[in-house]
Amino acid sequence: MTCNCSSSACTGGSQAGRTKATFGASVGILAGFGVLLAMFGFAQPATDDGAGAAQPETKETTPVIVRLETSKGNIDIELNQEKAPISVANFLEYVDKGHYNGTIFHRVIPNFMVQGGGFDATMTQKPTGKGIKNEWENGLSNVRGSVAMARLGNQPDSATAQFFINVTDNAFLDEPRDGAGYAVFAKVTEESMAVVDAIRVVPTTTKGPHGNVPVEPVVIKKASRLTEESEG
């Protein structure tokens, strides 16, 4: 589990294409096929005489990608606004106002996750806004490469700016162990996982009450939108 602090005491988730068929048969046969298609969830094509209503076009969207420029290399994160709109909007708000610039990955556990977004290199915690609604039931899982909101244990809606990247499959974080799971809202691109894997193996130590802190700070120099959401 993963939390907004770094104490080990509270640690803390395709669209189906539509098939359109055109049948060159009689009106009666077309009607029969129309019934069958409707039963299986397929849209019946509009007739040439304009009697049938045209089906609305499905617009594909290009997901927003945020780049974290770190002292170990760039990490590109693909946000899932469809499944986690609240978490994505919250994350982008912190990105756009420069909150993550100069923060560090302050908690690194090689067989679990790497966590950042809350502390600077002196282990001073940055101020944040209010907690957001936990979107843990959005169907996204805490698998390797997924990015989830960090929060306090036993406080499901306490996530603010901190996030963590799963470096292994952590399905147990999907379960409501303290009333809710941990909300996944994005994934690291395949090309960027090499940087994440470089971070996961850095030497760590204890600094004050904080455990698993990298000996040499792994700094997020800058976080910015690499792409804007667009419709095509």
Side-chain angles (χ1 to χ4, degrees):
M1 293 181 288
T2 310
C3 66
N4 276 342
C5 65
S6 19
S7 169
S8 60
C10 54
T11 54
S14 350
Q15 298 179 342
R18 294 184 177 179
T19 305
K20 293 186 177 180
T22 303
F23 302 95
S26 67
V27 174
I29 295 175
L30 278 171
F33 273 117
V35 172
L36 289 173
L37 289 171
M39 290 174 61
F40 288 95
F42 292 95
Q44 183 176 345
T47 56
D48 292 337
D49 60 6
Q55 297 297 316
E57 294 183 3
T58 300
K59 294 183 178 180
E60 295 182 356
T61 60
T62 301
V64 177
I65 295 178
V66 165
R67 170 165 289 177
L68 304 180
E69 300 175 25
T70 83
S71 53
K72 290 292 186 180
N74 294 338
I75 301 173
D76 292 341
I77 298 173
E78 183 180 317
L79 308 183
N80 194 324
Q81 191 167 23
E82 179 184 357
K83 296 251 179 116
I86 296 172
S87 302
V88 167
N90 175 74
F91 183 72
L92 287 175
E93 182 178 349
Y94 284 108
V95 168
D96 292 341
K97 67 183 181 183
H99 171 90
Y100 295 119
N101 301 348
T103 60
I104 63 171
F105 283 97
H106 64 272
R107 188 161 176 251
V108 173
I109 304 176
N111 60 347
F112 183 24
M113 57 89 221
V114 298
Q115 180 176 338
F119 293 82
D120 65 19
T122 67
M123 289 303 293
T124 299
Q125 191 164 8
K126 297 187 71 171
T128 62
K130 296 180 179 180
I132 60 172
K133 179 178 174 57
N134 191 329
E135 297 179 295
W136 68 282
E137 295 180 293
N138 61 13
L140 301 176
S141 182
N142 283 274
V143 296
R144 172 174 159 82
S146 61
V147 187
M149 295 303 303
R151 63 173 176 82
L152 298 172
N154 298 309
Q155 298 184 43
D157 297 334
S158 60
T160 55
Q162 291 189 40
F163 61 90
F164 62 94
I165 301 171
N166 289 290
V167 298
T168 57
D169 291 343
N170 295 313
F172 71 95
L173 295 178
D174 300 336
E175 302 299 324
R177 300 165 65 90
D178 60 354
Y182 288 78
V184 171
F185 67 94
K187 65 180 179 180
V188 174
T189 63
E190 184 176 352
E191 296 79 6
S192 297
M193 281 304 295
V195 177
V196 176
D197 285 334
I199 295 172
R200 72 184 288 192
V201 296
V202 299
T204 61
T205 187
T206 298
K207 293 186 178 181
H210 309 295
N212 308 112
V213 181
V215 173
E216 181 180 342
V218 180
V219 181
I220 299 174
K221 300 176 181 178
K222 182 181 179 181
S224 59
R225 300 189 192 214
L226 193 62
T227 63
E228 297 286 345
E229 185 175 37
S230 62
E231 294 184 348

